[in-house]
Amino acid sequence: MVKLLSNSFTTAASIILLHLLSSVSRVNAVALTTPIAANERLCFFADVDKAGEKIGFYYAVQSGGSFEISFDIKDPNDKILLDGQSERQGDYVLTANTVGEYAFCFTNEESTVTQKLVDFDIMVENEPRREASARPGQIADHTSELEESIVRLNGMLHSIKRTQRYFHTRENRGFSIVKSTQIKILWFGVLESLAIVGMAIGQVYILQTFFTRTGRLYKV
């Protein structure tokens, strides 16, 4: 009898855990990396099906110039909800009060030559409220404990994700700086070699003209 009750409780707890995992949050996410040419404006769109949903927007310039770019977010009525000028990265959470298509646009006006590589993430999230258990008692208590554990794990996962994004951005920017420095060193070496060759040719020419008088070349 005890074994039967134990198996029933384990089964019920498993069902509750699966229900919580499937109903804690519903997230539609788009993570992309895109190049943006100089003086180019590039927009991406996300649909919101229900008013009050949360919209998460993250971006970071991975390479190009001083790692700066401008952005703006517009609602379905073309109202600007958020914008920024010459920023390197950002992480924002907005509340969608209007159902429809939201626009996320990047503008590379800071550079007339350099292309920017932008890593961004758009998330549309809806977190429904947990319904009260129809059978109060021990099952409800365990449901609350499981929900709290899942929320803590979700927060830890988001913290790990933010840390990974930070190191990913630092790695890409460091690689971009190293690559840019290597190109500058290469061109500096080429220009230095051309300068040395030019100085050698100039010295030969000066010596030749120095020993040339009235159209005659004196041999030394």
Side-chain angles (χ1 to χ4, degrees):
M1 184 67 179
V2 175
K3 184 176 181 181
L4 180 59
L5 291 174
S6 176
N7 291 335
S8 300
F9 176 77
T10 303
T11 304
S14 301
I15 294 173
I16 293 171
L17 177 60
L18 291 174
H19 176 71
L20 289 173
L21 288 173
S22 61
S23 64
V24 165
S25 63
R26 176 177 59 84
V27 180
N28 298 324
V30 177
L32 295 172
T33 300
T34 179
I36 302 178
N39 295 321
E40 181 183 10
R41 179 178 174 83
L42 192 60
C43 294
F44 299 87
F45 302 91
D47 290 323
V48 174
D49 301 327
K50 182 180 178 182
E53 290 187 342
K54 300 295 183 181
I55 300 177
F57 176 60
Y58 163 83
Y59 75 94
V61 182
Q62 305 293 326
S63 64
S66 300
F67 309 104
E68 295 179 348
I69 201 164
S70 300
F71 76 95
D72 60 79
I73 303 174
K74 294 183 179 179
D75 65 2
N77 299 321
D78 287 336
K79 179 183 177 181
I80 297 179
L81 302 178
L82 185 67
D83 62 352
Q85 300 292 327
S86 302
E87 296 185 5
R88 292 190 169 191
Q89 65 184 67
D91 194 355
Y92 308 96
V93 178
L94 307 173
T95 300
N97 296 320
T98 305
V99 177
E101 191 175 62
Y102 285 73
F104 304 80
C105 299
F106 297 100
T107 306
N108 188 15
E109 296 178 347
E110 291 77 10
S111 176
T112 57
V113 179
T114 307
Q115 174 181 274
K116 306 290 178 64
L117 185 66
V118 180
D119 182 18
F120 69 96
D121 192 358
I122 301 173
M123 296 176 291
V124 179
E125 180 176 9
N126 180 21
E127 296 185 355
R129 296 180 181 272
R130 182 175 63 88
E131 297 179 357
S133 177
R135 298 176 59 187
Q138 189 174 8
I139 297 298
D141 295 337
H142 280 275
T143 301
S144 178
E145 293 177 2
L146 288 173
E147 186 178 31
E148 291 177 0
S149 299
I150 292 173
V151 170
R152 286 196 299 269
L153 289 174
N154 189 39
M156 293 178 183
L157 289 175
H158 279 293
S159 178
I160 293 172
K161 187 176 181 180
R162 285 193 297 268
T163 304
Q164 288 179 335
R165 284 175 172 174
Y166 171 76
F167 284 111
H168 177 70
T169 302
R170 289 290 300 271
E171 179 184 5
N172 287 341
R173 289 180 178 175
F175 179 77
S176 177
I177 292 173
V178 170
K179 186 176 180 180
S180 176
T181 304
Q182 288 178 343
I183 294 175
K184 290 178 181 177
I185 292 174
L186 174 62
W187 282 109
F188 180 79
V190 171
L191 292 176
E192 185 179 17
S193 300
L194 292 176
I196 293 173
V197 172
M199 289 177 61
I201 295 174
Q203 289 176 353
V204 171
Y205 176 77
I206 292 173
L207 289 174
Q208 185 177 5
T209 55
F210 179 76
F211 291 102
T212 302
R213 294 178 181 178
T214 63
R216 297 181 60 186
L217 180 62
Y218 294 92
K219 295 183 179 181
V220 180

